[in-house]
Short mmCIF file of all heavy atoms in Angstrom, two decimals:
data_model
loop_
_atom_site.label_atom_id
_atom_site.label_comp_id
_atom_site.label_asym_id
_atom_site.label_seq_id
_atom_site.Cartn_x
_atom_site.Cartn_y
_atom_site.Cartn_z
N MET A 276 0.84 -1.18 0.00
CA MET A 276 0.00 0.00 0.00
C MET A 276 0.89 1.25 0.00
O MET A 276 1.78 1.40 0.80
CB MET A 276 -0.90 -0.01 1.23
CG MET A 276 -1.86 1.13 1.27
SD MET A 276 -2.96 0.93 2.67
CE MET A 276 -3.41 2.60 2.92
N SER A 277 0.62 2.11 -0.90
CA SER A 277 1.42 3.32 -1.05
C SER A 277 0.85 4.44 -0.17
O SER A 277 -0.36 4.58 -0.03
CB SER A 277 1.39 3.75 -2.52
OG SER A 277 2.23 4.85 -2.71
N THR A 278 1.75 5.20 0.43
CA THR A 278 1.33 6.33 1.25
C THR A 278 1.91 7.60 0.65
O THR A 278 2.70 7.56 -0.30
CB THR A 278 1.84 6.20 2.70
OG1 THR A 278 3.27 6.34 2.71
CG2 THR A 278 1.46 4.86 3.30
N TYR A 279 1.55 8.73 1.22
CA TYR A 279 2.08 10.00 0.73
C TYR A 279 3.60 10.04 0.84
O TYR A 279 4.26 10.71 0.06
CB TYR A 279 1.44 11.19 1.46
CG TYR A 279 1.98 11.41 2.85
CD1 TYR A 279 3.04 12.30 3.07
CD2 TYR A 279 1.47 10.73 3.94
CE1 TYR A 279 3.55 12.50 4.34
CE2 TYR A 279 1.97 10.94 5.21
CZ TYR A 279 3.01 11.82 5.41
OH TYR A 279 3.52 12.02 6.66
N LYS A 280 4.18 9.31 1.79
CA LYS A 280 5.63 9.31 1.96
C LYS A 280 6.35 8.63 0.80
O LYS A 280 7.51 8.89 0.55
CB LYS A 280 6.03 8.64 3.27
CG LYS A 280 5.79 9.49 4.48
CD LYS A 280 6.41 8.85 5.69
CE LYS A 280 6.49 9.82 6.82
NZ LYS A 280 7.30 9.31 7.93
N ASP A 281 5.64 7.72 0.11
CA ASP A 281 6.24 6.97 -1.00
C ASP A 281 6.18 7.71 -2.33
O ASP A 281 6.93 7.40 -3.24
CB ASP A 281 5.49 5.65 -1.21
CG ASP A 281 5.56 4.74 -0.01
OD1 ASP A 281 6.60 4.71 0.66
OD2 ASP A 281 4.55 4.06 0.26
N LYS A 282 5.25 8.64 -2.46
CA LYS A 282 5.02 9.29 -3.75
C LYS A 282 6.18 10.21 -4.11
O LYS A 282 6.58 11.05 -3.34
CB LYS A 282 3.71 10.06 -3.71
CG LYS A 282 2.51 9.15 -3.57
CD LYS A 282 1.24 9.91 -3.81
CE LYS A 282 -0.01 9.14 -3.52
NZ LYS A 282 -0.14 7.83 -3.94
N LYS A 283 6.69 10.04 -5.30
CA LYS A 283 7.84 10.82 -5.76
C LYS A 283 7.32 12.06 -6.48
O LYS A 283 7.04 12.02 -7.67
CB LYS A 283 8.73 9.97 -6.65
CG LYS A 283 9.23 8.73 -5.92
CD LYS A 283 10.62 8.40 -6.26
CE LYS A 283 11.06 7.16 -5.50
NZ LYS A 283 12.41 7.28 -5.05
N VAL A 284 7.18 13.14 -5.71
CA VAL A 284 6.58 14.36 -6.24
C VAL A 284 7.41 15.62 -5.94
O VAL A 284 7.07 16.70 -6.40
CB VAL A 284 5.15 14.56 -5.69
CG1 VAL A 284 4.23 13.45 -6.15
CG2 VAL A 284 5.15 14.63 -4.17
N ILE A 285 8.49 15.47 -5.20
CA ILE A 285 9.26 16.63 -4.74
C ILE A 285 10.44 16.86 -5.66
O ILE A 285 11.20 15.94 -5.97
CB ILE A 285 9.76 16.40 -3.29
CG1 ILE A 285 8.60 15.98 -2.38
CG2 ILE A 285 10.42 17.65 -2.75
CD1 ILE A 285 9.06 15.45 -1.04
N VAL A 290 13.95 19.48 -2.24
CA VAL A 290 14.70 18.52 -1.42
C VAL A 290 15.95 19.19 -0.85
O VAL A 290 16.28 19.01 0.32
CB VAL A 290 15.07 17.26 -2.23
CG1 VAL A 290 16.03 16.37 -1.46
CG2 VAL A 290 13.82 16.49 -2.61
N LEU A 293 14.85 21.35 2.02
CA LEU A 293 14.44 20.56 3.18
C LEU A 293 15.61 19.93 3.91
O LEU A 293 15.59 19.80 5.13
CB LEU A 293 13.45 19.46 2.75
CG LEU A 293 12.07 19.91 2.31
CD1 LEU A 293 11.30 18.74 1.70
CD2 LEU A 293 11.30 20.48 3.49
N THR A 294 16.62 19.50 3.15
CA THR A 294 17.74 18.76 3.75
C THR A 294 18.95 19.62 4.07
O THR A 294 19.80 19.22 4.86
CB THR A 294 18.20 17.63 2.81
OG1 THR A 294 18.66 18.22 1.59
CG2 THR A 294 17.09 16.63 2.56
N LEU A 309 22.93 5.52 -3.98
CA LEU A 309 22.40 5.57 -2.62
C LEU A 309 20.96 6.07 -2.60
O LEU A 309 20.26 5.89 -1.61
CB LEU A 309 23.27 6.49 -1.75
CG LEU A 309 24.68 5.99 -1.50
CD1 LEU A 309 25.51 7.04 -0.79
CD2 LEU A 309 24.65 4.70 -0.69
N ILE A 310 20.53 6.70 -3.67
CA ILE A 310 19.18 7.26 -3.76
C ILE A 310 18.70 7.07 -5.20
O ILE A 310 19.51 7.11 -6.12
CB ILE A 310 19.18 8.75 -3.32
CG1 ILE A 310 17.79 9.27 -3.08
CG2 ILE A 310 19.92 9.63 -4.27
CD1 ILE A 310 17.26 8.94 -1.73
N TYR A 311 17.41 6.84 -5.36
CA TYR A 311 16.88 6.52 -6.68
C TYR A 311 15.65 7.38 -6.99
O TYR A 311 14.51 6.93 -6.80
CB TYR A 311 16.51 5.04 -6.77
CG TYR A 311 17.68 4.13 -6.52
CD1 TYR A 311 17.94 3.64 -5.25
CD2 TYR A 311 18.53 3.79 -7.55
CE1 TYR A 311 19.03 2.81 -5.02
CE2 TYR A 311 19.62 2.96 -7.33
CZ TYR A 311 19.86 2.48 -6.06
OH TYR A 311 20.94 1.66 -5.83
N PRO A 312 15.85 8.60 -7.47
CA PRO A 312 14.69 9.43 -7.82
C PRO A 312 14.04 8.91 -9.11
O PRO A 312 14.67 8.20 -9.89
CB PRO A 312 15.29 10.81 -8.05
CG PRO A 312 16.69 10.53 -8.48
CD PRO A 312 17.11 9.29 -7.73
N LYS A 321 12.37 13.53 -9.38
CA LYS A 321 11.28 13.62 -8.41
C LYS A 321 11.61 12.71 -7.23
O LYS A 321 11.96 11.55 -7.42
CB LYS A 321 9.95 13.19 -9.04
CG LYS A 321 9.48 14.08 -10.17
CD LYS A 321 9.03 15.41 -9.64
CE LYS A 321 8.38 16.21 -10.75
NZ LYS A 321 7.73 17.40 -10.26
N TYR A 322 11.47 13.24 -6.03
CA TYR A 322 11.80 12.52 -4.81
C TYR A 322 10.57 12.39 -3.93
O TYR A 322 9.62 13.15 -4.05
CB TYR A 322 12.89 13.28 -4.03
CG TYR A 322 14.17 13.43 -4.79
CD1 TYR A 322 14.36 14.50 -5.67
CD2 TYR A 322 15.20 12.52 -4.64
CE1 TYR A 322 15.55 14.64 -6.38
CE2 TYR A 322 16.39 12.66 -5.34
CZ TYR A 322 16.55 13.72 -6.21
OH TYR A 322 17.71 13.86 -6.90
N SER A 323 10.62 11.43 -3.00
CA SER A 323 9.55 11.23 -2.02
C SER A 323 10.02 11.74 -0.66
O SER A 323 11.20 12.04 -0.46
CB SER A 323 9.20 9.75 -1.92
OG SER A 323 10.27 9.04 -1.33
N PHE A 324 9.08 11.78 0.29
CA PHE A 324 9.45 12.14 1.65
C PHE A 324 10.38 11.08 2.25
O PHE A 324 11.26 11.41 3.04
CB PHE A 324 8.21 12.34 2.53
CG PHE A 324 7.49 13.63 2.25
CD1 PHE A 324 6.33 13.64 1.50
CD2 PHE A 324 7.99 14.83 2.72
CE1 PHE A 324 5.68 14.83 1.23
CE2 PHE A 324 7.34 16.02 2.45
CZ PHE A 324 6.18 16.03 1.70
N LEU A 325 10.20 9.83 1.85
CA LEU A 325 11.12 8.78 2.31
C LEU A 325 12.53 9.03 1.77
O LEU A 325 13.52 8.80 2.47
CB LEU A 325 10.63 7.40 1.88
CG LEU A 325 9.38 6.88 2.60
CD1 LEU A 325 8.93 5.55 2.00
CD2 LEU A 325 9.62 6.75 4.09
N ASP A 326 12.62 9.53 0.53
CA ASP A 326 13.93 9.88 -0.03
C ASP A 326 14.58 11.00 0.77
O ASP A 326 15.79 10.99 1.01
CB ASP A 326 13.79 10.30 -1.49
CG ASP A 326 13.41 9.17 -2.42
OD1 ASP A 326 13.76 8.00 -2.14
OD2 ASP A 326 12.77 9.45 -3.46
N VAL A 327 13.77 11.97 1.18
CA VAL A 327 14.29 13.10 1.98
C VAL A 327 14.86 12.56 3.30
O VAL A 327 15.99 12.92 3.69
CB VAL A 327 13.19 14.15 2.25
CG1 VAL A 327 13.65 15.18 3.27
CG2 VAL A 327 12.76 14.82 0.95
N GLU A 328 14.11 11.69 3.96
CA GLU A 328 14.60 11.09 5.21
C GLU A 328 15.88 10.30 4.96
O GLU A 328 16.82 10.36 5.75
CB GLU A 328 13.52 10.18 5.81
CG GLU A 328 12.33 10.94 6.33
CD GLU A 328 11.18 10.02 6.77
OE1 GLU A 328 11.32 8.78 6.68
OE2 GLU A 328 10.16 10.57 7.21
N ARG A 329 15.90 9.58 3.87
CA ARG A 329 17.08 8.78 3.51
C ARG A 329 18.30 9.67 3.27
O ARG A 329 19.40 9.35 3.70
CB ARG A 329 16.74 7.96 2.27
CG ARG A 329 17.85 7.15 1.77
CD ARG A 329 17.36 5.87 1.14
NE ARG A 329 18.48 5.21 0.51
CZ ARG A 329 19.59 4.85 1.14
NH1 ARG A 329 19.74 5.07 2.40
NH2 ARG A 329 20.58 4.27 0.49
N LEU A 330 18.10 10.75 2.56
CA LEU A 330 19.20 11.68 2.30
C LEU A 330 19.75 12.26 3.60
O LEU A 330 20.97 12.41 3.75
CB LEU A 330 18.75 12.81 1.37
CG LEU A 330 18.65 12.41 -0.10
CD1 LEU A 330 17.82 13.43 -0.87
CD2 LEU A 330 20.03 12.26 -0.70
N LEU A 331 18.89 12.58 4.54
CA LEU A 331 19.35 13.09 5.84
C LEU A 331 20.16 12.03 6.57
O LEU A 331 21.19 12.33 7.17
CB LEU A 331 18.16 13.54 6.69
CG LEU A 331 17.46 14.80 6.20
CD1 LEU A 331 16.14 15.01 6.93
CD2 LEU A 331 18.37 16.02 6.36
N ASP A 332 19.72 10.77 6.49
CA ASP A 332 20.45 9.67 7.11
C ASP A 332 21.82 9.50 6.46
O ASP A 332 22.84 9.34 7.15
CB ASP A 332 19.63 8.38 7.01
CG ASP A 332 20.27 7.21 7.72
OD1 ASP A 332 20.64 7.36 8.91
OD2 ASP A 332 20.43 6.15 7.08
N ILE A 333 21.87 9.55 5.13
CA ILE A 333 23.13 9.43 4.41
C ILE A 333 24.07 10.56 4.81
O ILE A 333 25.25 10.33 5.09
CB ILE A 333 22.88 9.44 2.88
CG1 ILE A 333 22.17 8.17 2.44
CG2 ILE A 333 24.20 9.62 2.12
CD1 ILE A 333 21.59 8.24 1.03
N GLU A 350 23.71 -1.20 3.79
CA GLU A 350 22.31 -1.32 3.39
C GLU A 350 22.04 -2.64 2.68
O GLU A 350 20.98 -3.22 2.85
CB GLU A 350 21.92 -0.14 2.52
CG GLU A 350 21.83 1.12 3.35
CD GLU A 350 21.63 2.36 2.52
OE1 GLU A 350 21.68 2.28 1.28
OE2 GLU A 350 21.41 3.41 3.13
#
Side-chain angles (χ1 to χ4, degrees):
M276 183 175 156
S277 184
T278 68
Y279 76 94
K280 284 189 166 190
D281 299 323
K282 294 191 187 317
K283 301 218 180 220
V284 296
I285 309 167
V290 171
L293 290 171
T294 62
L309 294 172
I310 194 83
Y311 301 93
K321 296 289 188 170
Y322 299 86
S323 68
F324 285 103
L325 289 175
D326 291 331
V327 170
E328 291 173 0
R329 178 148 172 57
L330 283 164
L331 290 168
D332 184 51
I333 291 166
E350 289 172 353

